[in-house]
Amino acid sequence: MEDSHDYVVRATAANGLIRAFACTTRDLVEECRKIHNTFPICTAAIGRLMSSALMMGVDLKGDRSVLTLTIKGDGPIKGLTATADNLGNVKGFVSNPNVLLPPNKAGHLNVGEALGKGKLSVIKDIGLKEPYIGSVDLRTGEIAEDLTYYFAVSEQIPSSVGLGVLMNTNNTVKQSGGFILQLMPDATEDVISKLEKKLSNIKSVTAMLDEGMTPEEMLQFILGDMDMEINDHIPVRFHCNCSREKVSKALISLGKKELEALIADKKTQDVFCDYCEKHYSFSVAELQELYDSAK
């Protein structure tokens, strides 16, 4: 990922009455696809979710702030999880990465049907005692519309979210990215109608990216006549921060009873990271050490 071109930009327009984010995430979504061997519809779903997690994550305050987006649905994908911090790191996984469905009526990957009916949850951990958790029912399962609904209902912020993942014929990722536009409380009717008019005439995110537009150019295209200013340019990447130490702590947190049952098996236990698919093996002797250090 050293030669990645992925990044998020943060911007404002209309004298601060609009704030905006846009990103290109092709390399990190391809990295995720390779790790999890996802089928195209699953790659599109997790790619959209990771793009939105990154744009929301970079806006968090505090050194160790983390944002997690989860979708649980009754469709064949079953669920998606994406976790991002405010430094541009993201990781994600799909509960069922091998789903095949016919295209939707527009001829696109049918992410909505693959997810089905369910819930979108947003968990913001900004270092307080309890994380903030907001949850809404899925509107379409296409993710962008669901996030737009979440912002309106849970955060009372009128927003427009655009997300897209375009696949190559060999099932690798050709383009991925998105934007989030949000109106501030003092936004005037003039600003609102101007933005609505512009949004009604824009192409899809994947079409803009495939034409070679950068995140800055996407925002320029939408907000260029509204005094847009780019405030931040943040490199982003797929990165899992799991470690043997963290897995050991997780095993200890199971409690003595659970550890006792694992030791009684008299077998090496293999622990698997959902995000990066790394395996951590613990011998019976190592499990005994964890047991001895557990409360």
Side-chain angles (χ1 to χ4, degrees):
M1 293 289 290
E2 284 77 18
D3 58 350
S4 172
H5 299 98
D6 297 342
Y7 63 95
V8 170
V9 291
R10 197 165 23 183
T12 52
N15 293 319
L17 296 178
I18 297 170
R19 62 187 206 137
F21 306 81
C23 65
T24 177
T25 56
R26 179 183 61 194
D27 296 334
L28 68 88
V29 176
E30 174 62 12
E31 179 82 357
C32 183
R33 182 200 69 78
K34 286 194 281 194
I35 290 169
H36 298 294
N37 195 25
T38 46
F39 285 17
I41 201 165
C42 304
T43 307
I46 193 62
R48 292 178 193 178
L49 200 68
M50 288 195 300
S51 292
S52 42
L54 280 165
M55 289 186 284
M56 294 168 72
V58 297
D59 204 41
L60 295 175
K61 306 291 184 279
D63 288 345
R64 297 184 182 176
S65 297
V66 175
L67 176 130
T68 301
L69 299 180
T70 64
I71 292 178
K72 290 182 180 172
D74 62 7
I77 281 182
K78 296 179 183 173
L80 302 170
T81 302
T83 298
D85 60 24
N86 57 357
L87 302 173
N89 299 305
V90 70
K91 55 187 179 180
F93 70 92
V94 186
S95 297
N96 178 10
N98 307 134
V99 174
L100 276 172
L101 286 176
N104 60 21
K105 288 176 184 175
H108 301 141
L109 292 166
N110 200 344
V111 172
E113 191 178 330
L115 286 170
K117 292 177 182 171
K119 282 196 178 294
L120 162 71
S121 297
V122 178
I123 303 155
K124 294 180 185 177
D125 186 348
I126 55 171
L128 303 175
K129 281 188 179 178
E130 295 293 325
Y132 162 84
I133 302 173
S135 186
V136 292
D137 290 332
L138 292 178
R139 303 290 279 179
T140 65
E142 294 291 334
I143 303 178
E145 294 89 339
D146 304 304
L147 273 167
T148 299
Y149 181 61
Y150 160 79
F151 283 124
V153 172
S154 289
E155 299 193 7
Q156 284 80 52
I157 304 172
S159 306
S160 176
V161 182
L163 300 165
V165 176
L166 185 65
M167 303 299 292
N168 287 308
T169 52
N170 66 353
N171 291 339
T172 57
V173 180
K174 189 178 184 187
Q175 300 291 348
S176 177
F179 64 78
I180 297 174
L181 308 176
Q182 298 187 318
L183 288 164
M184 295 296 95
D186 297 334
T188 62
E189 283 301 321
D190 181 48
V191 167
I192 295 166
S193 61
K194 213 178 210 182
L195 183 59
E196 284 175 346
K197 188 177 179 184
K198 198 72 184 183
L199 286 168
S200 67
N201 291 315
I202 66 165
K203 298 175 182 178
S204 68
V205 166
T206 48
M208 288 192 282
L209 289 170
D210 209 35
E211 284 176 9
M213 290 174 78
T214 63
E216 293 92 333
E217 286 167 341
M218 282 199 287
L219 291 183
Q220 184 67 31
F221 183 71
I222 303 167
L223 302 169
D225 57 351
M226 300 172 81
D227 299 321
M228 186 198 72
E229 287 182 24
I230 300 288
N231 303 318
D232 270 318
H233 177 290
I234 304 144
V236 295
R237 61 174 180 158
F238 187 99
H239 174 68
C240 183
N241 58 347
C242 72
S243 66
R244 190 171 185 80
E245 185 188 359
K246 287 186 177 181
V247 174
S248 298
K249 284 180 181 174
L251 285 169
I252 290 168
S253 73
L254 293 174
K256 289 211 163 193
K257 206 170 183 181
E258 284 289 334
L259 284 169
E260 213 171 294
L262 293 174
I263 292 163
D265 268 354
K266 295 185 178 176
K267 291 177 188 169
T268 295
Q269 299 293 329
D270 201 31
V271 182
F272 170 86
C273 175
D274 285 325
Y275 290 103
C276 68
E277 304 209 352
K278 274 185 194 160
H279 288 255
Y280 296 90
S281 292
F282 290 82
S283 67
V284 175
E286 286 170 325
L287 290 168
Q288 185 65 53
E289 281 177 30
L290 296 179
Y291 176 85
D292 293 341
S293 63
K295 291 179 181 177

